[in-house]
């Protein structure tokens, strides 16, 4: 490789995502098969497909992740809570929740906190708070991270992928705030193995991408060339 990367086993860090609005059951089946074959951390699907993913991966290592309030975060707290609870009832063990971005920008920090804290408390599952970093100032990112950490999340996630993607600079910045106390999920626009490795080197502990198999193929090809 062009850079001297540390030895990183990338597969166990990947949340294999299928968040295309036109996703079909057949595509979900393929996603789950790939996640199992390549030993990815999780599959990430829309709530409508949680039951199918649970059935397909029953007894297999990949976790079942779904998105809540996706992609805008602008549904009501009650709606988000219900969506999260239903997803858990259907078998989801990880919840990627878009925070109330407008509330954050309006200074309604108590509302942002209560919404995330209630989901964490009521579901008891792993919660990854999606910040949509491309839409926030550094001050807002810092505030959002502090709120979400206080609320009990296990991960901060950079992006939905709908408003821009993960950057090395953002991951580094989030790492300085989280100080290793919780995980960082880099998500959105991860298309090359170089990007993936750069993000991990910057501090990402999960990678949200629909291109997991392709990233591993790129890595294999590069190793063959060395």
């Amino acid at each position: 490789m062009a850079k001297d990367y540390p030895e990183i086993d990338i597969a166990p860090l990947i949340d294999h995502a299928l968040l295309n609005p036109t996703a079909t059951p057949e595509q979900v089946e393929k996603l789950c098969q790939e996640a199992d074959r390549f030993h990815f951390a999780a599959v990430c699907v829309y709530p409508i497909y949680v039951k199918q993913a649970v059935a397909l991966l029953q007894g297999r290592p990949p976790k079942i992740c779904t998105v809540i309030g996706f992609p805008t975060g602008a549904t009501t707290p009650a709606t988000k809570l219900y969506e999260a609870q239903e997803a858990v009832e259907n078998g989801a063990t990880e919840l990627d929740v878009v925070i109330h971005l407008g509330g954050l920008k309006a200074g309604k920090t108590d509302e942002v906190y209560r919404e995330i804290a209630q989901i964490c408390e009521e579901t008891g599952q792993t919660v990854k708070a999606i910040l949509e970093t491309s839409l926030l100032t550094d001050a807002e990112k810092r505030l959002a991270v502090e709120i979400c950490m206080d609320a009990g999340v296990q991960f901060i996630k950079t992006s939905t992928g709908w408003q821009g993607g993960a950057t090395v600079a953002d991951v580094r910045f989030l790492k300085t705030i989280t100080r290793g106390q919780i995980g960082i999920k880099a998500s959105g626009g991860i298309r090359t193995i170089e990007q993936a490795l750069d993000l991990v080197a910057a501090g990402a502990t999960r990678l949200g991408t629909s291109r997991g198999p392709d990233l591993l193929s790129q890595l294999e090809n590069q190793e063959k060339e060395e």
Side-chain angles (χ1 to χ4, degrees), residues 18 22-33 49 52 56:
L18 178 60
T22 60
T24 65
E26 291 76 18
Q27 290 171 326
V28 171
E29 182 174 1
K30 180 183 178 187
L31 184 89
C32 292
Q33 290 170 346
Y49 289 125
Q52 181 189 3
L56 289 167

Side-chain angles (χ1 to χ4, degrees), residues 99 113 116-117 120 127 129 131 141-156 174-184:
I99 69 168
Y113 169 83
I116 297 295
C120 290
V127 172
L131 303 192
K141 292 170 198 172
R142 182 178 295 279
L143 179 60
V145 170
E146 291 170 350
I147 290 169
C148 291
M149 288 180 69
D150 286 346
V153 306
Q154 285 76 38
F155 286 83
I156 294 296
L174 295 177
K175 186 178 180 181
T176 66
I177 308 167
T178 59
R179 301 183 300 279
Q181 295 177 37
I182 60 173
I184 297 171

